[in-house]
Amino acid sequence: DPVGEEAYYTEVLQRLDGCFLCYQPDQNTPDVAPLSALTNGYVTFGSFNNFSKINPAVLQLWSEVLLHVPHSRLLLKCPALTDATVRARVSGALQTLGIDAERVELLGHTPTRQEHLALYAKLDIALDTFPYNGTTTTCEALWMGVPVLSLVGKHHAGRVGASLLNAAGLTDWLADTPESFVVMAQAMACDLIKLGRLRGSLRAKLADSSLCDAEGFVRRLEVAMRRVWANPPS
């Protein structure tokens, strides 16, 4: 929440150093898979976010990314896509935006979390939703070695990606405008060597970051609570 957001709250905001939350990955997660683009011969973008976050503007921007990255593909996964009618609607919307159905894979519900996480092996770059960013979805993608490109918004819901990626040390994956989002996606997709190195190091990088430092987070929260206790807001 940047300075000025106070106007949107009845409560008094208390800001913590670092991220507003921390992430604890599941103990039983699949290993990080090699970069799929190296064997596929094309880059796969995707999102596993809740379908309610995928609005027409999101599909429009993601289509622009695919149009600027030749032969790239898009993989979307969420429970709503289990329904054939929903899949047809999404496929039709993307075709209207110039994306052939052959470039899109739509997946629905998986029985277990392990199967869900294992599907990140198909992704090379995750695309964040807006104006409502992903939260757990972004953390899971990073844990599975998939970097997330996020468009930074003006309010809390659209700045979660910025908070998470800053805490994870991935500030170069934050776009300020839709135009820069497309440019950055194109640049990231063109450097498979760099993308592969990041994939191999991302889990360790995330584990060592403040985003996964639960003890440090609690200490900062304790300090904030004591501060409010000693000096309650009027």
Side-chain angles (χ1 to χ4, degrees):
D1 294 270
V3 174
E5 288 295 282
E6 290 80 3
Y8 298 98
Y9 292 87
T10 56
E11 305 87 354
V12 177
L13 293 183
Q14 300 293 326
R15 291 182 173 84
L16 302 178
D17 290 334
C19 195
F20 72 104
L21 51 72
C22 59
Y23 172 64
Q24 184 175 33
D26 290 342
Q27 295 298 312
N28 184 25
T29 54
D31 293 336
V32 174
L35 189 71
S36 64
L38 295 175
T39 52
N40 288 339
Y42 55 83
V43 169
T44 302
F45 297 98
S47 172
F48 289 4
N49 273 288
N50 189 295
F51 189 66
S52 61
K53 298 181 181 182
I54 302 176
N55 55 62
V58 169
L59 290 180
Q60 172 74 53
L61 185 58
W62 290 355
S63 296
E64 287 295 323
V65 168
L66 264 66
L67 292 172
H68 281 78
V69 182
H71 312 297
S72 62
R73 300 195 180 188
L74 180 67
L75 169 61
L76 302 181
K77 180 190 181 297
C78 63
L81 291 173
T82 306
D83 184 86
T85 304
V86 177
R87 290 197 305 274
R89 192 170 83 228
V90 174
S91 179
L94 289 168
Q95 288 179 62
T96 300
L97 293 168
I99 308 303
D100 293 338
E102 294 75 18
R103 298 180 66 185
V104 179
E105 184 175 5
L106 303 174
L107 301 176
H109 174 73
T110 46
T112 68
R113 176 155 294 275
Q114 285 68 36
E115 290 174 90
H116 170 77
L117 293 174
L119 287 171
Y120 276 104
K122 289 173 165 278
L123 287 190
D124 299 304
I125 297 174
L127 303 177
D128 201 0
T129 52
F130 64 91
Y132 198 122
N133 295 162
T135 307
T136 303
T137 307
T138 294
C139 293
E140 288 179 344
L142 298 177
W143 186 252
M144 296 307 300
V146 181
V148 181
L149 182 58
S150 185
L151 179 63
V152 182
K154 296 181 179 180
H155 306 294
H156 179 102
R159 298 179 63 86
V160 172
S163 189
L164 297 175
L165 293 175
N166 267 290
L170 295 170
T171 56
D172 55 339
W173 286 82
L174 295 171
D176 294 326
T177 65
E179 293 76 17
S180 63
F181 187 96
V182 174
V183 171
M184 291 171 66
Q186 187 176 25
M188 302 299 188
C190 287
D191 194 343
L192 296 186
I193 294 176
K194 182 178 180 180
L195 198 58
R197 283 200 301 263
L198 179 58
R199 191 180 189 95
S201 63
L202 193 48
R203 179 173 289 189
K205 183 180 180 69
L206 185 65
D208 291 339
S209 74
S210 62
L211 188 55
C212 290
D213 180 16
E215 183 174 342
F217 178 85
V218 171
R219 294 290 174 261
R220 293 189 295 275
L221 181 61
E222 289 173 341
V223 169
M225 293 177 72
R226 289 181 182 277
R227 182 176 65 241
V228 176
W229 181 269
N231 300 285
S234 57

